[in-house]
Amino acid sequence: MSVSPLLDLRHIEKSFRVRGKQLFAVRDVSLSIRKGESLGLVGESGSGKSTVGRCAIGLTAPDSGSVRLFGEELVGRSRRELRQMWQHMQMVFQDAGAALHPRMTVGRNVIDPLVARRLVDGREGREIARQLLEQVGLNPDQAEAYPFELSGGQQQRVMIARALAVEPQLLICDEPVSALDVSVQAQMMELFVKLKQKRNLSYLFISHNLPSVGQIADHIAVMYLGEIVEVGSAHQMFRAPYHPYSQALFASVLPIPANVDARRELRALPGEIPSPFDLPSGCPFHTRCPVAVGRCRDVRPPLRPVGDGHQVACHLA
Amino acid sequence: MADFVAETITGANSGLSGQPVLDVRGLVVEFERADGTIHAVNGVDFAVCPGEWIGIIGESGSGKSVTLMSLLGLLGDGGRVTRGHAWFEGTDLLQLPNRRLRSVRGNEIGVVFQNLAEGFNPYLPIGVQIAETLVSHRLCTRRTAHRRAIELMRELGIGDAKARFHQYPHELSGGMRQRAMIASAVASEPKVIFADEPTTALDSTVQMQVLALLTDICRKRGTSVVMVTHDLGVAAHTCDRIVVMYAGMVMEEAAIDEFLQHPMHPYTLGLRAASFDPDQPDRPLRPIPGYAPALLEAPHSCPFAPRCHLATARCREHVPALRRIGPAHRVACHHVQGENET
Ligand SMILES: Nc1ncnc2c1ncn2[C@@H]1O[C@H](COP(=O)(O)OP(=O)(O)OP(=O)(O)O)[C@@H](O)[C@H]1O
Ligand SMILES: Nc1ncnc2c1ncn2[C@@H]1O[C@H](COP(=O)(O)OP(=O)(O)O)[C@@H](O)[C@H]1O
Ligand code: SF4
Ligand code: SF4
Ligand SMILES: [Mg+2]
Ligand SMILES: [Mg+2]
């Protein structure tokens, strides 16, 4: 067994030019995932989660930094080389309907990655497709159906079956359940957790939906304005996060209290997330932080360890 | 009729008092589609008291939105109310001609949708739309409307309201647009606000801002709210009473404390077991097996029976009636015992 992580991002920077202006999407992000471990990436819309995910797969080239997948550098590879490296890593996106071939049957969709690599013939493929569909909780006979005949949740299952076809070790999921109904979300999360246990799959699980992340992630990284402001165990993150932004973020998932007296007061962060075109000086969170002190406005706090494996970017942590 | 009155739970039982501002009875809504009739709402009743906050919860397709839309005359093509009453200020909303209903909607009943596209005209600046509401409801003159709209936007935490007044809906962030929508919903000082998933599309910290604002402003003005949500934590923290819907029927209705302490219906318990609790992040979730029904026929059994682990032959043959099992609690299940039954 190798000791190098499945995925290792070092100092990723990415900005986009939009209408002549520079938009800072990802700033000095480092993260790594070891075999069998899963990392949740959370944060508000626009905080840079998907951009990190796309860099991790090689779909977006970072401006600087390195991305190592199974120990091999991914930055600068051709599409063809990338496709080779995707053998052991698959992606699942939010919009399953759009990602499936509308004119191929569900079964053919599932084995498409194998057919593309000429790894199976027709008969064998059909059998594999049926097995995979069954593993993701679909009726194997649905192999003959077309994607548009399935519900959103069923289409998402087909996507997962397809991702599993190449027996990946790492699954990168970007908002895989956000478009689904809550009860279907719970069923999908059950499937993800089962696959994690049965196949020892690792996940980079990107979502703004904290409950779903809470179910799959061993570790959670919190992004704000393109930066990771805290990373640590999922357990600690839900119970007592260190960073003032993580505190507000996790407090906004409301529990179901035991009775009326146990209800929490609804407390909200003031203000809005600043523009990614015009980043605040110092700590990116200082414009809204309830405990900010003088130096927060001028000095950007580095991400540093605070014990029990947590790293936090805050002068006060 | 008198029988019905005794059966509905009103605010009196959830600690609030007064005649209901809105009283919905036996509502039935159907949609005609190419593949048949969809029985979206099958005999729903609930009442809303002054200042009361009602939460309607249930999976998607359970008829929550259709219930609200039907009361507003917004069902769209193919949808029609086939039975029921909705008493509001002494008139039955379901009998009103469209023109009159339109004036009730947005005037005496404010509306906050999940889908922002439904709430605003995309071609008019939001400030102008809020000012327009104020003028058309004679809450101020055309001359003062501009200033009042800006005040209202400020009250809802819209920073830089003067500049935002001139912005178009698509130029605002989701959270800002939702605030602006609340501003226009409360502008006419309605007695009731219908809010359909008002925060679902928002990030969780923004959701919290919008919820805090909505509760604050409605409490200050004594406005009643009927809120549709799928988030049990949100419902539990904002509502006085919960109505649980499934397959277009009310499965359970209870005052909030009763709902939190003694949930009874197997479907309600299923929803709770499937919900994430941040206080117990490690508790495995148990999704409800199976899927919501297609509603191609009117219920002739307990609609939840195919997914219910307690289902018996009786459940598969008879529709359970919504029965009172406590002073502030009604349940529709053959296997939940009432107060005087054992
Ligand atoms: N191709 C692009 N061109 C220009 N700007 C982009 C591009 N991709 C992303 N951005 C910008 O980069 C920032 C980060 O975007 P990203 O999609 O990574 O956010 P996210 O955290 O995934 O948000 P969401 O939760 O909404 O998916 C945003 O401000 C976004 O508008
Ligand atoms: N315009 C429509 N035409 C046909 N069927 C509809 C229409 N609107 C809603 N329905 C159906 O009515 C049922 C209830 O829908 P809805 O009230 O939107 O559910 P909820 O709000 O609880 O998610 C669903 O089966 C839905 O497909
Ligand atoms: S560094 Fe300062 S502003 Fe930033 S989170 Fe910490 S206390 Fe708040
Ligand atoms: S009536 Fe029967 S099937 Fe329906 S919820 Fe009760 S026990 Fe379950
Ligand atoms: Mg994204
Ligand atoms: Mg709805």
Side-chain angles (χ1 to χ4, degrees):
Chain A
M1 239 194 89
S2 90
V3 283
S4 72
L6 297 183
L7 178 67
D8 197 26
L9 271 59
R10 289 286 133 214
H11 308 295
I12 297 296
E13 300 268 349
K14 180 72 193 175
S15 62
F16 298 98
R17 280 209 88 72
V18 181
R19 279 176 261 124
K21 286 205 280 184
Q22 180 113 331
L23 183 153
F24 299 91
V26 174
R27 299 193 297 149
D28 194 12
V29 161
S30 298
L31 54 85
S32 77
I33 299 177
R34 269 168 228 294
K35 187 160 174 55
E37 270 181 8
S38 293
L39 178 74
L41 192 57
V42 305
E44 281 170 57
S45 182
S47 59
K49 308 180 296 294
S50 299
T51 307
V52 169
R54 293 174 61 84
C55 287
I57 309 164
L59 287 178
T60 291
D63 300 335
S64 63
S66 104
V67 178
R68 288 180 162 268
L69 191 63
F70 306 104
E72 280 186 73
E73 181 61 52
L74 200 136
V75 175
R77 298 292 178 124
S78 69
R79 237 323 157 46
R80 205 152 123 219
E81 290 172 306
L82 281 175
R83 213 160 272 147
Q84 273 304 313
M85 299 175 82
W86 289 342
Q87 285 272 18
H88 304 289
M89 177 193 59
Q90 287 288 305
M91 309 134 234
V92 177
F93 296 109
Q94 175 164 356
D95 192 359
L100 295 169
H101 293 284
R103 287 204 203 86
M104 285 185 189
T105 61
V106 162
R108 180 63 176 68
N109 262 292
V110 168
I111 54 163
D112 193 49
L114 299 177
V115 176
R117 293 187 176 82
R118 292 183 228 283
L119 293 173
V120 290
D121 62 27
R123 208 237 219 92
E124 192 190 359
R126 223 162 296 145
E127 195 39 49
I128 292 174
R130 290 179 64 89
Q131 281 171 14
L132 286 167
L133 288 173
E134 190 152 24
Q135 278 187 39
V136 297
L138 288 171
N139 184 334
D141 293 340
Q142 277 172 326
E144 307 308 323
Y146 285 88
F148 71 87
E149 295 174 301
L150 304 184
S151 72
Q154 289 172 327
Q155 290 178 354
Q156 196 62 280
R157 282 174 200 263
V158 175
M159 278 296 297
I160 295 165
R162 179 164 87 179
L164 294 177
V166 297
E167 305 196 0
Q169 297 179 46
L170 176 66
L171 215 49
I172 297 189
C173 303
D174 191 354
E175 306 283 3
V177 298
S178 302
L180 304 174
D181 186 29
V182 243
S183 54
V184 183
Q185 271 185 13
Q187 292 170 351
M188 293 306 303
M189 290 313 302
E190 190 183 45
L191 172 63
F192 281 125
V193 172
K194 190 182 89 188
L195 292 170
K196 178 183 171 183
Q197 288 161 350
K198 280 218 173 131
R199 293 186 168 223
N200 199 26
L201 254 186
S202 290
Y203 293 83
L204 172 58
F205 200 91
I206 300 172
S207 181
H208 71 275
N209 180 313
L210 300 179
S212 61
V213 174
Q215 287 163 67
I216 195 93
D218 306 302
H219 296 95
I220 294 180
V222 180
M223 287 191 77
Y224 187 79
L225 273 182
E227 284 185 40
I228 291 183
V229 295
E230 177 164 5
V231 55
S233 78
H235 197 83
Q236 177 75 14
M237 205 66 93
F238 274 99
R239 263 155 225 264
Y242 294 89
H243 194 281
Y245 174 66
S246 320
Q247 287 167 359
L249 186 65
F250 283 88
S252 64
V253 185
L254 294 169
I256 301 168
N259 54 49
V260 177
D261 298 327
R263 295 208 277 200
R264 280 193 205 155
E265 197 192 330
L266 301 182
R267 265 202 260 125
L269 264 184
E272 273 195 281
I273 196 161
S275 159
F277 289 105
D278 188 14
L279 297 175
S281 60
C283 171
F285 190 53
H286 89 254
T287 57
R288 310 169 73 191
C289 181
V291 295
V293 294
R295 82 193 118 123
C296 300
R297 228 181 33 210
D298 310 314
V299 187
R300 183 166 157 189
L303 196 62
R304 59 192 171 82
V306 293
D308 40 296
H310 265 242
Q311 288 181 287
V312 182
C314 171
H315 293 306
L316 303 188
Chain B
M1 193 69 223
D3 216 355
F4 268 117
V5 176
E7 274 299 332
T8 336
I9 301 174
T10 60
N13 297 312
S14 57
L16 294 150
S17 57
Q19 281 295 308
V21 270
L22 174 67
D23 198 351
V24 179
R25 298 302 168 104
L27 180 69
V28 177
V29 183
E30 295 170 1
F31 287 95
E32 288 311 327
R33 276 204 323 217
D35 55 341
T37 303
I38 303 284
H39 298 263
V41 176
N42 301 296
V44 158
D45 42 44
F46 65 91
V48 188
C49 284
E52 195 181 21
W53 195 307
I54 307 264
I56 304 185
I57 64 172
E59 288 163 283
S60 103
S62 51
K64 309 180 296 293
S65 303
V66 170
T67 297
L68 293 191
M69 293 303 145
S70 69
L71 303 181
L72 297 169
L74 291 175
L75 280 178
D77 287 351
R80 66 200 163 101
V81 175
T82 56
R83 260 190 292 147
H85 302 280
W87 302 105
F88 179 76
E89 308 260 86
T91 54
D92 185 351
L93 294 178
L94 302 178
Q95 304 297 327
L96 284 183
N98 253 334
R99 198 171 37 82
R100 280 276 292 119
L101 196 55
R102 221 175 299 138
S103 100
V104 169
R105 173 173 86 225
N107 192 348
E108 286 150 277
I109 300 180
V111 188
V112 181
F113 296 105
Q114 165 182 6
N115 188 347
L116 304 151
E118 296 171 66
F120 279 118
N121 177 343
Y123 306 110
L124 277 180
I126 53 145
V128 172
Q129 298 189 50
I130 295 169
E132 208 41 61
T133 313
L134 292 166
V135 174
S136 70
H137 296 126
R138 301 207 182 78
L139 290 160
C140 63
T141 62
R142 206 159 271 287
R143 269 187 46 220
T144 54
H146 184 267
R147 206 192 60 229
R148 271 292 294 138
I150 289 175
E151 279 167 16
L152 202 54
M153 288 165 73
R154 283 215 184 100
E155 192 182 349
L156 279 145
I158 301 178
D160 209 2
K162 265 196 183 139
R164 303 253 199 227
F165 184 95
H166 301 286
Q167 288 188 308
Y168 291 86
H170 73 267
E171 295 176 325
L172 301 181
S173 69
M176 275 301 152
R177 258 183 313 208
Q178 208 58 330
R179 279 171 220 250
M181 188 174 317
I182 294 171
S184 84
V186 300
S188 62
E189 302 185 356
K191 298 222 167 47
V192 185
I193 287 181
F194 285 179
D196 192 348
E197 305 270 12
T199 59
T200 302
L202 305 174
D203 278 323
S204 49
T205 57
V206 184
Q207 163 170 335
M208 201 68 160
Q209 290 180 329
V210 171
L211 269 185
L213 269 165
L214 191 62
T215 46
D216 202 49
I217 202 152
C218 292
R219 221 164 267 151
K220 259 196 273 174
R221 298 171 186 223
T223 316
S224 306
V225 175
V226 182
M227 178 173 69
V228 165
T229 178
H230 66 262
D231 187 328
L232 263 56
V234 166
H237 277 83
T238 51
C239 296
D240 302 304
R241 187 142 48 89
I242 305 287
V243 173
V244 183
M245 281 187 71
Y246 185 75
M249 291 169 57
V250 175
M251 295 278 117
E252 179 160 18
E253 178 187 9
I256 184 65
D257 202 37
E258 181 73 6
F259 175 82
L260 294 175
Q261 296 199 50
H262 309 291
M264 292 288 211
H265 197 282
Y267 180 59
T268 309
L269 299 176
L271 285 179
R272 287 186 62 142
S275 293
F276 180 77
D277 183 353
D279 287 344
Q280 306 172 55
D282 303 326
R283 178 178 66 94
L285 303 190
R286 268 183 291 123
I288 304 174
Y291 297 94
L295 303 175
L296 279 162
E297 38 192 324
H300 48 77
S301 59
C302 172
F304 190 55
R307 306 170 71 186
C308 180
H309 66 288
L310 295 174
T312 59
R314 188 168 162 214
C315 307
R316 285 181 278 269
E317 280 154 23
H318 302 282
V319 181
L322 186 60
R323 290 171 308 128
R324 180 184 291 274
I325 61 153
H329 203 160
R330 297 196 297 167
V331 178
C333 172
H334 292 305
H335 297 297
V336 169
Q337 302 301 329
E339 249 173 352
N340 309 313
E341 314 153 340
T342 12

Coordinates of all heavy atoms in Angstrom, one line a residue, chain A residues 138-193:
Chain A
L138 N -31.6 0.2 -8.1 CA -32.6 0.3 -9.1 C -33.0 -1.1 -9.6 O -32.2 -2.1 -9.4 CB -32.0 1.0 -10.3 CG -31.9 2.5 -10.2 CD1 -31.1 3.1 -11.3 CD2 -33.2 3.2 -10.1
N139 N -34.2 -1.2 -10.2 CA -34.6 -2.5 -10.8 C -33.7 -2.8 -12.0 O -33.7 -2.0 -12.9 CB -36.1 -2.4 -11.1 CG -36.6 -3.7 -11.7 OD1 -35.9 -4.5 -12.2 ND2 -37.9 -3.8 -11.5
P140 N -33.0 -3.9 -12.1 CA -32.2 -4.2 -13.2 C -32.9 -4.1 -14.6 O -32.3 -3.8 -15.6 CB -31.7 -5.6 -13.0 CG -31.9 -5.9 -11.5 CD -33.0 -5.0 -11.1
D141 N -34.2 -4.4 -14.5 CA -35.0 -4.3 -15.8 C -35.0 -2.9 -16.3 O -35.3 -2.7 -17.5 CB -36.4 -4.8 -15.6 CG -36.4 -6.3 -15.3 OD1 -35.4 -7.0 -15.6 OD2 -37.4 -6.8 -14.8
Q142 N -34.7 -1.9 -15.5 CA -34.7 -0.5 -16.0 C -33.5 -0.2 -16.9 O -33.4 0.8 -17.5 CB -34.7 0.4 -14.8 CG -36.1 0.6 -14.3 CD -36.2 1.4 -13.0 OE1 -35.4 1.4 -12.1 NE2 -37.3 2.2 -12.9
A143 N -32.6 -1.2 -17.0 CA -31.5 -1.1 -18.0 C -32.1 -0.8 -19.4 O -31.4 -0.1 -20.2 CB -30.7 -2.4 -18.0
E144 N -33.3 -1.3 -19.7 CA -33.9 -1.1 -21.0 C -34.6 0.3 -21.2 O -34.9 0.6 -22.3 CB -34.9 -2.2 -21.4 CG -34.3 -3.6 -21.2 CD -33.0 -3.8 -21.9 OE1 -32.9 -3.3 -23.0 OE2 -32.1 -4.5 -21.4
A145 N -34.8 1.0 -20.1 CA -35.5 2.3 -20.1 C -34.6 3.3 -20.7 O -33.3 3.2 -20.8 CB -36.0 2.6 -18.7
Y146 N -35.2 4.5 -21.0 CA -34.4 5.7 -21.4 C -34.4 6.7 -20.3 O -35.3 6.7 -19.5 CB -35.0 6.3 -22.7 CG -34.6 5.4 -23.9 CD1 -35.4 4.4 -24.3 CD2 -33.4 5.7 -24.6 CE1 -35.1 3.6 -25.4 CE2 -33.1 4.9 -25.7 CZ -33.9 3.8 -26.1 OH -33.5 3.0 -27.1
P147 N -33.3 7.5 -20.2 CA -33.2 8.4 -19.0 C -34.4 9.2 -18.8 O -34.8 9.4 -17.6 CB -32.0 9.2 -19.4 CG -31.1 8.4 -20.3 CD -32.1 7.5 -21.0
F148 N -35.1 9.7 -19.8 CA -36.2 10.6 -19.6 C -37.4 9.9 -18.9 O -38.2 10.6 -18.3 CB -36.6 11.3 -20.9 CG -37.4 10.4 -21.8 CD1 -38.7 10.2 -21.7 CD2 -36.7 9.7 -22.8 CE1 -39.4 9.3 -22.5 CE2 -37.3 8.9 -23.7 CZ -38.7 8.7 -23.5
E149 N -37.3 8.6 -18.9 CA -38.4 7.9 -18.3 C -38.2 7.7 -16.8 O -39.1 7.2 -16.1 CB -38.6 6.5 -18.9 CG -39.0 6.6 -20.4 CD -39.0 5.2 -21.1 OE1 -38.0 4.6 -21.1 OE2 -40.1 4.9 -21.5
L150 N -37.1 8.2 -16.2 CA -36.8 8.0 -14.8 C -37.0 9.3 -14.1 O -36.8 10.4 -14.7 CB -35.3 7.5 -14.6 CG -35.0 6.3 -15.4 CD1 -33.5 5.9 -15.0 CD2 -35.9 5.1 -15.0
S151 N -37.2 9.2 -12.8 CA -37.3 10.4 -11.9 C -35.9 11.0 -11.7 O -34.9 10.3 -12.0 CB -37.9 10.1 -10.6 OG -37.0 9.3 -9.8
G152 N -35.8 12.2 -11.1 CA -34.5 12.8 -10.8 C -33.6 11.9 -10.0 O -32.4 11.8 -10.2
G153 N -34.2 11.4 -8.9 CA -33.4 10.5 -8.0 C -32.9 9.3 -8.7 O -31.8 8.8 -8.5
Q154 N -33.8 8.7 -9.6 CA -33.4 7.5 -10.3 C -32.3 7.8 -11.3 O -31.3 7.1 -11.5 CB -34.6 6.9 -11.0 CG -35.6 6.3 -10.0 CD -36.9 5.8 -10.7 OE1 -37.3 6.4 -11.7 NE2 -37.4 4.8 -10.2
Q155 N -32.4 9.0 -12.0 CA -31.3 9.4 -12.9 C -30.0 9.6 -12.1 O -28.9 9.2 -12.6 CB -31.7 10.7 -13.6 CG -32.8 10.5 -14.6 CD -33.2 11.9 -15.2 OE1 -32.7 12.9 -14.8 NE2 -34.1 11.8 -16.2
Q156 N -30.1 10.1 -10.9 CA -28.9 10.3 -10.1 C -28.2 8.9 -9.8 O -27.0 8.8 -9.8 CB -29.2 11.1 -8.9 CG -28.0 11.7 -8.2 CD -27.2 12.7 -9.0 OE1 -26.4 12.3 -9.8 NE2 -27.5 14.0 -8.8
R157 N -29.1 8.0 -9.5 CA -28.6 6.6 -9.3 C -27.9 6.0 -10.5 O -26.9 5.3 -10.4 CB -29.7 5.7 -8.9 CG -30.2 5.9 -7.4 CD -31.4 5.1 -7.1 NE -32.0 5.7 -5.9 CZ -31.9 5.2 -4.7 NH1 -31.1 4.1 -4.5 NH2 -32.4 5.8 -3.7
V158 N -28.5 6.3 -11.7 CA -27.8 5.8 -12.9 C -26.4 6.4 -13.1 O -25.5 5.7 -13.4 CB -28.7 6.1 -14.1 CG1 -28.0 5.7 -15.4 CG2 -30.0 5.4 -14.0
M159 N -26.3 7.7 -12.7 CA -25.0 8.4 -12.8 C -24.0 7.7 -11.9 O -22.8 7.6 -12.2 CB -25.2 9.8 -12.3 CG -25.7 10.8 -13.3 SD -24.5 11.0 -14.7 CE -23.1 11.6 -13.8
I160 N -24.5 7.3 -10.7 CA -23.6 6.7 -9.7 C -23.2 5.3 -10.2 O -22.0 4.9 -10.2 CB -24.2 6.6 -8.3 CG1 -24.4 8.1 -7.8 CG2 -23.4 5.9 -7.4 CD1 -25.4 8.2 -6.7
A161 N -24.2 4.6 -10.8 CA -23.9 3.3 -11.3 C -22.8 3.4 -12.4 O -21.8 2.6 -12.5 CB -25.1 2.6 -11.9
R162 N -22.9 4.4 -13.2 CA -21.9 4.6 -14.3 C -20.6 5.0 -13.7 O -19.6 4.5 -14.2 CB -22.4 5.8 -15.2 CG -21.4 6.1 -16.3 CD -22.0 6.9 -17.4 NE -21.9 8.3 -17.1 CZ -22.4 9.2 -18.0 NH1 -23.0 8.9 -19.1 NH2 -22.3 10.5 -17.7
A163 N -20.6 5.8 -12.7 CA -19.3 6.2 -12.0 C -18.6 4.9 -11.4 O -17.4 4.8 -11.5 CB -19.5 7.2 -11.0
L164 N -19.5 4.0 -10.9 CA -18.9 2.8 -10.3 C -18.4 1.8 -11.3 O -17.6 0.9 -10.9 CB -20.0 2.1 -9.4 CG -20.5 2.9 -8.2 CD1 -21.6 2.1 -7.5 CD2 -19.3 3.2 -7.2
A165 N -18.8 1.9 -12.5 CA -18.4 0.9 -13.5 C -16.9 0.7 -13.6 O -16.5 -0.4 -13.8 CB -19.0 1.3 -14.9
V166 N -16.1 1.7 -13.5 CA -14.7 1.6 -13.6 C -14.0 1.2 -12.3 O -12.8 1.3 -12.2 CB -14.0 2.9 -14.2 CG1 -14.5 3.1 -15.6 CG2 -14.3 4.1 -13.3
E167 N -14.8 0.9 -11.3 CA -14.3 0.6 -9.9 C -13.3 1.6 -9.4 O -12.2 1.3 -9.1 CB -13.7 -0.8 -9.9 CG -14.7 -1.8 -10.5 CD -14.3 -3.2 -10.2 OE1 -13.3 -3.4 -9.5 OE2 -15.1 -4.1 -10.5
P168 N -13.8 2.9 -9.3 CA -12.9 3.9 -8.8 C -12.6 3.8 -7.3 O -13.3 3.1 -6.6 CB -13.8 5.2 -9.1 CG -15.2 4.7 -8.9 CD -15.2 3.3 -9.4
Q169 N -11.5 4.5 -6.9 CA -11.2 4.5 -5.5 C -11.7 5.9 -4.9 O -11.8 6.0 -3.7 CB -9.7 4.4 -5.3 CG -9.2 3.1 -5.7 CD -7.7 3.1 -5.5 OE1 -7.2 3.4 -4.4 NE2 -7.0 2.6 -6.5
L170 N -11.9 6.8 -5.8 CA -12.2 8.2 -5.4 C -13.4 8.7 -6.2 O -13.4 8.6 -7.4 CB -11.0 9.1 -5.5 CG -11.3 10.6 -5.2 CD1 -11.5 10.8 -3.7 CD2 -10.0 11.4 -5.6
L171 N -14.4 9.2 -5.5 CA -15.6 9.8 -6.2 C -15.6 11.3 -5.8 O -15.6 11.6 -4.7 CB -16.8 9.1 -5.7 CG -18.0 8.8 -6.6 CD1 -17.5 8.1 -7.9 CD2 -19.0 7.9 -5.9
I172 N -15.6 12.1 -6.9 CA -15.8 13.5 -6.6 C -17.2 13.9 -6.9 O -17.7 13.7 -8.0 CB -14.8 14.4 -7.5 CG1 -13.4 14.0 -7.1 CG2 -15.0 15.9 -7.3 CD1 -12.3 14.9 -7.7
C173 N -17.9 14.4 -5.9 CA -19.3 14.7 -6.1 C -19.6 16.1 -5.8 O -19.2 16.7 -4.8 CB -20.2 13.9 -5.0 SG -20.0 12.1 -5.1
D174 N -20.1 16.8 -6.8 CA -20.5 18.2 -6.6 C -22.0 18.4 -6.5 O -22.7 18.2 -7.5 CB -19.9 19.0 -7.8 CG -20.0 20.6 -7.6 OD1 -20.5 21.0 -6.5 OD2 -19.5 21.3 -8.4
E175 N -22.4 18.7 -5.4 CA -23.9 18.9 -5.1 C -24.7 17.7 -5.6 O -25.7 17.9 -6.4 CB -24.4 20.2 -5.7 CG -23.6 21.5 -5.3 CD -24.0 22.0 -3.9 OE1 -24.8 21.3 -3.2 OE2 -23.4 23.0 -3.5
P176 N -24.3 16.5 -5.3 CA -25.0 15.4 -5.9 C -26.5 15.2 -5.5 O -27.2 14.5 -6.2 CB -24.2 14.2 -5.5 CG -23.6 14.6 -4.2 CD -23.3 16.1 -4.3
V177 N -26.9 15.8 -4.4 CA -28.3 15.6 -3.9 C -29.1 16.8 -3.8 O -30.2 16.8 -3.5 CB -28.3 14.8 -2.6 CG1 -27.7 13.5 -2.6 CG2 -27.7 15.7 -1.5
S178 N -28.4 18.0 -4.1 CA -29.1 19.3 -3.9 C -30.3 19.5 -4.7 O -31.3 20.2 -4.2 CB -28.1 20.4 -4.1 OG -27.0 20.3 -3.3
A179 N -30.4 18.8 -5.9 CA -31.6 19.1 -6.7 C -32.7 18.1 -6.4 O -33.8 18.1 -7.0 CB -31.2 18.9 -8.2
L180 N -32.5 17.2 -5.4 CA -33.5 16.1 -5.1 C -34.4 16.5 -3.9 O -34.0 17.2 -3.1 CB -32.7 14.8 -4.9 CG -31.8 14.4 -6.0 CD1 -31.0 13.1 -5.5 CD2 -32.5 14.1 -7.2
D181 N -35.5 15.8 -3.9 CA -36.4 15.9 -2.8 C -35.8 15.4 -1.5 O -35.0 14.5 -1.6 CB -37.7 15.1 -3.2 CG -38.8 15.3 -2.1 OD1 -38.8 16.4 -1.5 OD2 -39.5 14.4 -2.0
V182 N -36.2 16.0 -0.4 CA -35.5 15.5 0.9 C -35.5 14.0 1.1 O -34.5 13.5 1.6 CB -36.2 16.2 2.2 CG1 -35.2 17.0 2.8 CG2 -37.5 16.8 1.9
S183 N -36.7 13.4 0.9 CA -36.7 12.0 1.2 C -35.8 11.2 0.3 O -35.2 10.2 0.6 CB -38.1 11.5 1.2 OG -38.7 11.8 0.0
V184 N -35.8 11.7 -1.0 CA -34.9 11.0 -2.0 C -33.4 11.3 -1.6 O -32.6 10.5 -1.8 CB -35.2 11.5 -3.4 CG1 -34.4 10.8 -4.4 CG2 -36.7 11.3 -3.7
Q185 N -33.2 12.5 -1.1 CA -31.8 12.9 -0.6 C -31.4 11.9 0.4 O -30.3 11.4 0.3 CB -31.9 14.2 0.0 CG -31.6 15.4 -0.9 CD -31.6 16.7 -0.1 OE1 -31.4 16.8 1.1 NE2 -31.6 17.8 -0.9
A186 N -32.3 11.6 1.3 CA -31.9 10.6 2.4 C -31.6 9.3 1.8 O -30.6 8.6 2.2 CB -33.0 10.5 3.4
Q187 N -32.3 8.8 0.8 CA -32.1 7.5 0.2 C -30.8 7.5 -0.5 O -30.0 6.6 -0.5 CB -33.2 7.2 -0.8 CG -34.5 6.9 -0.1 CD -35.7 6.8 -1.0 OE1 -35.6 7.1 -2.2 NE2 -36.9 6.4 -0.5
M188 N -30.5 8.7 -1.2 CA -29.2 8.7 -2.0 C -28.0 8.7 -1.0 O -27.0 8.1 -1.2 CB -29.1 10.0 -2.8 CG -30.1 10.1 -3.9 SD -30.0 8.7 -5.0 CE -28.3 8.8 -5.5
M189 N -28.2 9.5 0.1 CA -27.1 9.5 1.1 C -26.8 8.1 1.7 O -25.7 7.8 1.9 CB -27.4 10.6 2.2 CG -27.3 12.0 1.7 SD -25.8 12.4 0.7 CE -24.5 12.0 1.9
E190 N -27.9 7.4 1.9 CA -27.8 6.0 2.4 C -26.9 5.2 1.4 O -26.0 4.4 1.8 CB -29.1 5.4 2.6 CG -29.1 4.1 3.3 CD -30.5 3.5 3.4 OE1 -31.2 3.5 2.4 OE2 -30.9 3.0 4.5
L191 N -27.2 5.4 0.1 CA -26.4 4.7 -0.9 C -24.9 5.1 -0.9 O -24.1 4.2 -0.9 CB -27.0 5.0 -2.3 CG -26.3 4.4 -3.5 CD1 -26.1 2.9 -3.4 CD2 -26.9 4.9 -4.8
F192 N -24.7 6.4 -0.8 CA -23.3 6.9 -0.7 C -22.5 6.3 0.5 O -21.4 5.8 0.3 CB -23.2 8.4 -0.7 CG -23.4 9.1 -2.0 CD1 -24.4 10.1 -2.1 CD2 -22.7 8.8 -3.1 CE1 -24.6 10.7 -3.3 CE2 -22.9 9.4 -4.3 CZ -23.9 10.4 -4.4
V193 N -23.2 6.2 1.6 CA -22.6 5.7 2.8 C -22.3 4.2 2.7 O -21.2 3.7 3.0 CB -23.4 6.0 4.1 CG1 -22.9 5.3 5.3 CG2 -23.5 7.5 4.3

